[in-house]
Amino acid sequence: MSYVEASETSLRKTGQIKLHGPSGFAGMRKAGALTARCLDELADLVKPGLLTSKIDDFVREFAFSHDAYPATLMYRGYRYSTCTSINHVVCHGMPGDRTLKEGDIVNVDVTLIVDGWYGDSSRMYPVGPIARKAERLIEVTYEAMMRGIAAVRPGATTGDIGYAIQSFVEPQSMSVVRDFCGHGLGRMFHDEPNIIHIGRPGEGVPLRPGMFFTIEPMINIGKPHVKILSDGWTAVTRDRSLSAQFEHSVGVTQTGVEIFTLSPRKLDKPPYGG
């Protein structure tokens, strides 16, 4: 796979990996910060009795009131400003008339476009007190993401990221979903390269300074297999086991990695606020 300076290519997927300079990092910091702030404010909203449609309303109104746009809204026909994935829903859960109840766990995935840059992040929210197995799943999933991020540096590979995640998760008797992956982003929602959450050290795409992408492992308590429901979007575990996901947008720097979507209130790390 080849690389190209982002300033020298069009805003479309070309099969090349775009390398961004200082202005790109500045744009991603602004977009990532607003996305993280939106997710922070959702922490005060997610409680038993809340309709998932109200989460979607909040994200849409938050975006518009901050001169941003929700990237998922009308993306490939998707009619919502966020994804709300509850319990055994792996990803792309559609907001609606589902009411959150005590003991649920829900992932909220938000991507905000700010001045043309995409800030993409998701977090898990416990709904009231939750079972210890659900807490453990959330803890393992967060740690898996952070281990993947810690593997990012110039000269490393996408396989190093996947290996860092897989080698941590599987000894916990949990599984890594294979059907979905992280992705390049910047001034596009989905770009090169794909970031697979399993892998072998040294394999895959070499990382270079200026690459932007997401790391967003989906971890199941049961087996890794998923299926897509008839709505064409919602992915669930085939064995109906609990699933969790965390996601950050990151950039490869000259010496390591920068996370663009860190929580201002430190609410993205379980136990929340710790």
Side-chain angles (χ1 to χ4, degrees):
M1 186 169 285
S2 62
Y3 303 79
V4 63
E5 293 296 326
S7 60
E8 299 174 3
T9 189
S10 61
L11 294 181
R12 60 186 180 88
K13 198 168 184 177
T14 63
Q16 298 171 300
I17 296 173
K18 297 176 179 67
L19 301 178
H20 299 267
S23 63
F25 277 85
M28 288 299 289
R29 288 182 193 119
K30 186 174 180 180
L34 188 65
T35 299
R37 184 176 157 195
C38 179
L39 290 168
D40 274 6
E41 294 195 15
L42 276 171
D44 302 322
L45 185 69
V46 175
K47 291 180 173 61
L50 180 71
L51 289 170
T52 54
S53 62
K54 295 300 183 183
I55 296 175
D56 195 63
D57 291 344
F58 174 85
V59 172
R60 183 178 60 257
E61 292 164 10
F62 179 94
F64 292 162
S65 67
H66 291 85
D67 297 320
Y69 188 85
T72 58
L73 184 59
M74 302 313 298
Y75 176 78
R76 296 183 177 177
Y78 189 79
R79 296 180 289 115
Y80 306 99
S81 299
T82 187
C83 298
T84 53
S85 302
I86 304 170
N87 296 336
H88 72 290
V89 178
V90 175
C91 61
H92 303 157
M94 301 170 76
D97 59 3
R98 170 72 182 268
T99 300
L100 298 178
K101 65 180 187 299
E102 186 172 292
D104 284 342
I105 58 173
V106 58
N107 175 274
V108 181
D109 191 341
V110 173
T111 306
L112 298 183
I113 309 171
V114 181
D115 298 334
W117 295 93
Y118 287 72
D120 190 358
S121 186
S122 81
R123 297 183 201 164
M124 297 301 300
Y125 297 84
V127 183
I130 60 174
R132 176 55 191 153
K133 69 177 181 178
E135 287 181 343
R136 180 64 179 151
L137 173 63
I138 289 173
E139 292 164 359
V140 167
T141 305
Y142 176 82
E143 180 65 19
M145 176 187 65
M146 295 307 295
R147 289 183 181 228
I149 292 172
V152 176
R153 63 185 182 281
T157 68
T158 54
D160 295 335
I161 298 171
Y163 177 76
I165 293 168
Q166 183 180 13
S167 64
F168 170 69
V169 170
E170 291 180 347
Q172 316 296 324
S173 299
M174 298 181 190
S175 61
V176 183
V177 171
R178 270 73 163 164
D179 298 69
F180 301 96
C181 61
H183 52 87
L185 83 169
R187 294 182 68 84
M188 291 180 60
F189 196 175
H190 297 102
D191 205 349
E192 305 292 350
N194 288 334
I195 304 297
I196 311 299
H197 301 117
I198 61 171
R200 296 179 181 177
E203 295 187 355
V205 176
L207 305 182
R208 293 189 183 180
M211 291 173 64
F212 297 160
F213 49 82
T214 67
I215 297 177
E216 48 181 298
M218 285 149 266
I219 308 302
N220 298 344
I221 283 182
K223 295 180 179 180
H225 312 299
V226 308
K227 65 178 180 180
I228 308 298
L229 300 186
S230 60
D231 60 27
W233 287 100
T234 307
V236 301
T237 55
R238 284 191 172 272
D239 59 8
R240 296 188 66 83
S241 62
L242 288 177
S243 185
Q245 180 188 19
F246 281 90
E247 175 184 16
H248 272 315
S249 296
V250 304
V252 185
T253 68
Q254 294 293 331
T255 58
V257 62
E258 179 175 348
I259 303 174
F260 298 123
T261 45
L262 287 173
S263 165
R265 292 167 53 190
K266 302 186 185 302
L267 298 177
D268 51 354
K269 177 183 178 179
Y272 298 99

